[in-house]
Amino acid sequence: MKAMVMTAPGAPKVLQLLEVPTPTFSGGRQLLVRLHAAGVNPVDTKLRSRGTYFPERMPAILGCDGAGVVEATGPEAQDFQAGDAVYFCNGGIGGHPGTYAEYAVIDERFAAPKPRSLSFAEAAAVPLALITAWEALHERAHLQQGQCVLIHAGCGGVGHLAIQLAKLHDARVFTTVSDPAKAQLARELGAELAVSYHKTDFVAAVNEWSGGHGADLALDTVGGVTFVRTVRAVRHYGDLVTLLQPGAEVDWKEARLRNLRISFELMLTPMLHGLIDVQQQQADILRRAATLFDAGKLRIHISHVLPLAKAAEAHRLIEAGGMTGKIALTLAD
């Protein structure tokens, strides 16, 4: 099969389109999936640049997100059969081969039926970002009906889905964006207010918008100084969830004085540590999301659809910053 292979850590040019053996079953409940599309995520670019979580296993095939059709099933498979369309987040971090390839083998417990209303490219762009947003809002911050929610980078891969998930709980959503076009998209997705982080002091704006109350919860998808400043935009006893690791220089005094609940969201944790039960829960999130997509209550925004051979270009686009929505790679007709 053809696969985009990472031969060594480095610039996007280390990704090479090569012919590699098609993966085979090791038994049990595994599925052989012919991939039609793969999602591209910022974590892919970081692993390519710095090295994977399993540096001793090189070369590697990146890509956590995939969508395709089941071609064969293991002897103990119960939930899927040949011909079923599925989507999933699995592999691609250096241990199990990823989705920048024509085929993938996956335990059926980690897959979900593809939303009927989405193309394969759209479905492949969903899993990692959707699960991240879902876990951050529902499992870390315990989103409640009608809360005031601050979401940074509201037109990014995670942010644009988080806005929609919050609105499904009738939350009031404030988001930060980089330009007027993104502000318009954020409002279309359900944000009540979208401000430019280049021009506006979002801390002052959030506090004014909330009547001096502050956001009940905030989702930080940016990190760095944005994380530090967000502390003052969250109410006392509120929730602040970040996708990034705060720097050693962070002064935690204000967060402590406000009695904030600080949470971290890394949806790759169950894959890293072999937490099968949590991976099954994440697949259940995808099943529930599929119902929402098919009911028209969720949408995925894709900025670029590129062929597998242009994976390096996809990485360059992400690393340039300012992405709107997601990028998908196509692998089959």
Side-chain angles (χ1 to χ4, degrees):
M1 71 172 182
K2 290 183 174 64
M4 189 58 71
V5 179
M6 172 185 165
T7 56
K13 66 182 180 181
V14 302
L15 298 175
Q16 298 183 19
L17 188 62
L18 302 175
E19 194 73 28
V20 300
T22 300
T24 56
F25 290 129
S26 60
R29 299 179 64 179
Q30 291 184 328
L31 310 174
L32 175 65
V33 179
R34 179 171 178 81
L35 291 162
H36 286 242
V40 184
N41 293 290
V43 69
D44 301 352
T45 69
K46 295 173 183 176
L47 294 175
R48 187 217 72 235
S49 175
R50 305 171 190 171
T52 72
Y53 287 104
F54 302 88
E56 73 282 0
R57 303 182 192 177
M58 291 291 289
I61 300 174
L62 299 176
C64 302
D65 287 341
V69 175
V70 176
E71 282 212 350
T73 64
E76 298 174 19
Q78 305 169 15
D79 301 327
F80 297 100
Q81 59 186 8
D84 288 344
V86 297
Y87 75 141
F88 59 87
C89 181
N90 189 71
I93 61 174
H96 191 75
T99 56
Y100 292 7
E102 291 182 311
Y103 287 91
V105 169
I106 178 174
D107 188 304
E108 70 168 358
R109 292 172 291 179
F110 310 152
K114 182 185 80 68
R116 295 184 302 275
S117 58
L118 299 187
S119 68
F120 281 103
E122 290 170 330
V126 168
L128 188 148
L130 185 282
I131 293 169
T132 296
W134 188 295
E135 289 184 342
L137 294 177
H138 296 300
E139 298 178 13
R140 303 291 172 271
H142 307 291
L143 174 67
Q144 301 297 311
Q145 204 85 7
Q147 285 186 317
C148 292
V149 179
L150 165 61
I151 296 171
H152 284 299
C155 287
V158 172
H160 87 287
L161 291 166
I163 288 174
Q164 297 173 75
L165 292 176
K167 284 304 295 179
L168 287 174
H169 273 63
D170 295 322
R172 297 179 62 204
V173 179
F174 180 110
T175 191
T176 59
V177 294
S178 59
D179 59 55
K182 290 180 180 177
Q184 177 61 34
L185 175 60
R187 288 191 291 268
E188 291 174 5
L189 294 172
E192 182 177 314
L193 188 61
V195 303
S196 168
Y197 55 77
H198 294 304
K199 301 177 180 178
T200 304
D201 178 350
F202 73 82
V203 176
V206 167
N207 282 301
E208 180 181 357
W209 167 74
S210 62
H213 176 74
D216 295 297
L217 71 91
L219 174 56
D220 165 40
T221 66
V222 180
V225 68
T226 297
F227 170 80
V228 175
R229 294 185 61 213
T230 300
V231 168
R232 293 182 179 273
V234 180
R235 68 169 175 84
H236 294 82
Y237 295 90
D239 282 275
L240 171 52
V241 184
T242 184
L243 309 187
L244 290 305
Q245 181 172 318
E249 74 284 358
V250 172
D251 183 348
W252 296 94
K253 181 178 180 180
E254 185 64 26
R256 179 173 178 268
L257 290 174
R258 289 173 180 259
N259 240 325
L260 299 189
R261 180 165 52 186
I262 308 292
S263 302
F264 298 95
E265 168 58 29
L266 179 65
M267 69 77 55
L268 298 175
T269 294
M271 224 196 301
L272 280 168
H273 298 286
L275 306 177
I276 292 175
D277 57 336
V278 185
Q279 285 184 275
Q280 289 180 266
Q281 292 168 20
Q282 291 180 334
D284 186 59
I285 290 172
L286 293 181
R287 289 187 183 89
R288 295 164 69 181
T291 300
L292 295 172
F293 281 112
D294 288 339
K297 295 180 179 180
L298 274 181
R299 59 184 270 205
I300 182 75
H301 183 89
I302 295 197
S303 61
H304 298 78
V305 177
L306 302 171
L308 176 63
K310 292 192 175 181
E313 181 180 338
H315 279 223
R316 292 187 190 100
L317 287 167
I318 288 177
E319 290 177 322
M323 281 293 305
T324 299
K326 296 294 301 296
I327 297 178
L329 303 173
T330 53
L331 298 114
D333 295 332

